[in-house]
Amino acid sequence: MNDLPREFLRTDFGHEVYDGWYLEHGSYNFEAPEFVERHFPFYKKALLLSKDDKILEAGCGIGSYSREFARRGYHVVGMDLSPNFLSEAEKITQHENLEIEFIFGDYNEMNFEEKFTVIFFEGSFFYQSKEGLISLLSRIHKALTSNGRVYFVHKNPSIWKKGYPIANWSQTKKNVFVLQKAEYDENDGVEKCLWLKIDLETHKHYKCDFSVMHLPPDELKNCLMAAGFMDFHFHKKRRLGNFDPKNDNDFSVVARK
Ligand SMILES: C[S@@+](CC[C@H](N)C(=O)[O-])C[C@H]1O[C@@H](n2cnc3c(N)ncnc32)[C@H](O)[C@@H]1O
């Protein structure tokens, strides 16, 4: 036990250790094809999809949603900042004989001009500050063609905060333990997440801590408008009904340029 390092090695999304663990430990973190397929009627109606659409899936992970778009005949580009996920995405896509362009990149730095008719996020829309959110939405606005649409899922903090704090220990294999923790700070609207991996076999331990902001729906509206989106709708999560701020945990946002 004396050999254990005091420091944990830092890691995050896009780091091969974190992403390797995410792929292995949390296969449920990526949606199963049946789950993805089930929600397509909603995407089709809410986003008014047509076969002429050119779709960017931002934060595509292993490409579960990109592949469903491609299977249905849409032109899709997948973007992610994890080489590990992208190589997995390419492998599965080739195996299915589908054609998708996967690109490496941080969506916060996207610099496209009127290139996509749809920008789609599923489980991948993250921001750390209000300024960061407006900057991201502005880049999305610029990247969309006229009448282009953006889609993402957002948490409703007034309901979510009731479920915090969360802490779960699990054993992923012999001598390897993982802690996943999250708490919500109401003052700054930020969810603080922590992931620890303790490996008693190799004595290498990893730590990933990150923050995600969840603005209340009205503030999100202000940010959408600040970025130039005047036409937007908040749906129930992956359903056509209207979002109910008093009862719904999450909501799906569709904004049109
Ligand atoms: C929870 S996974 C969801 C993946 C996929 N959308 C799905 O549902 O199967 C979140 C993904 O977002 C990616 N991601 C997070 N921040 C990103 C950023 N700033 N730019 C590009 N990708 C990002 C991560 O690498 C990860 O693949």
Side-chain angles (χ1 to χ4, degrees):
M1 278 308 245
N2 288 341
D3 294 339
L4 292 183
R6 278 178 207 187
E7 295 294 327
F8 282 78
L9 302 170
R10 280 275 297 117
T11 165
D12 206 340
F13 265 140
H15 186 291
E16 63 179 289
V17 171
Y18 183 79
D19 294 348
W21 165 80
Y22 194 89
L23 277 171
E24 177 194 312
H25 167 74
S27 53
Y28 57 83
N29 286 325
F30 291 112
E31 311 293 14
E34 308 76 54
F35 181 92
V36 172
E37 196 185 354
R38 191 158 13 108
H39 294 103
F40 254 76
F42 164 70
Y43 302 133
K44 194 162 184 235
K45 284 203 176 127
L47 284 161
L48 298 171
L49 293 178
S50 88
K51 288 287 150 64
D52 298 330
D53 275 321
K54 190 156 189 223
I55 302 168
L56 172 69
E57 190 195 357
C60 63
I62 60 169
S64 313
Y65 287 87
S66 291
R67 274 190 298 284
E68 188 61 26
F69 281 118
R71 276 182 215 115
R72 289 169 187 253
Y74 296 98
H75 181 107
V76 60
V77 174
M79 175 195 244
D80 206 283
L81 50 64
S82 162
N84 219 342
F85 294 158
L86 288 173
S87 85
E88 192 69 15
E90 266 158 7
K91 213 160 65 192
I92 309 172
T93 303
Q94 270 169 20
H95 189 71
E96 280 195 37
N97 256 329
L98 294 167
E99 273 195 29
I100 302 174
E101 184 191 353
F102 287 107
I103 52 177
F104 171 79
D106 180 343
Y107 56 63
N108 290 301
E109 288 168 16
M110 72 167 93
N111 221 352
F112 305 110
E113 276 187 48
E114 305 212 348
K115 190 168 163 64
F116 297 100
T117 59
V118 173
I119 299 185
F120 180 91
F121 294 78
E122 254 305 347
S124 55
F125 191 81
F126 309 122
Y127 54 93
Q128 277 81 41
S129 68
K130 205 165 167 174
E131 297 69 36
L133 171 63
I134 295 173
S135 158
L136 171 59
L137 290 170
S138 304
R139 284 172 188 267
I140 292 170
H141 192 271
K142 187 171 142 210
L144 288 171
T145 56
S146 65
N147 286 325
R149 291 86 72 205
V150 58
Y151 169 82
F152 57 88
V153 172
H154 196 282
K155 284 187 180 178
N156 181 11
S158 61
I159 304 290
W160 262 92
K161 68 184 182 194
K162 296 176 190 157
Y164 291 98
I166 305 164
N168 291 315
W169 273 106
S170 53
Q171 185 172 4
T172 57
K173 54 178 130 163
K174 192 167 178 259
N175 289 325
V176 179
F177 298 87
V178 168
L179 171 68
Q180 286 174 284
K181 232 178 128 196
E183 53 192 40
Y184 182 69
D185 185 333
E186 266 198 71
N187 297 320
D188 55 13
V190 169
E191 178 185 0
K192 291 172 175 107
C193 308
L194 172 73
W195 167 74
L196 294 182
K197 177 177 168 186
I198 297 177
D199 191 328
L200 299 175
E201 195 80 37
T202 62
H203 291 187
K204 278 195 181 151
H205 312 310
Y206 294 94
K207 174 179 178 176
C208 169
D209 46 6
F210 57 97
S211 300
V212 194
M213 186 175 238
H214 307 299
L215 287 174
D218 282 343
E219 283 197 54
L220 173 63
K221 281 183 191 168
N222 292 337
C223 294
L224 281 161
M225 289 192 282
F229 289 101
M230 297 301 159
D231 178 1
F232 46 81
H233 193 90
F234 291 179
H235 295 270
K236 286 197 183 294
K237 185 181 178 184
R238 302 193 194 99
R239 282 159 58 196
L240 284 174
N242 292 334
F243 163 58
D244 170 3
K246 292 215 161 52
N247 292 302
D248 294 337
N249 278 352
D250 307 284
F251 53 101
S252 282
V253 177
V254 175
R256 178 181 292 273
K257 184 162 174 177

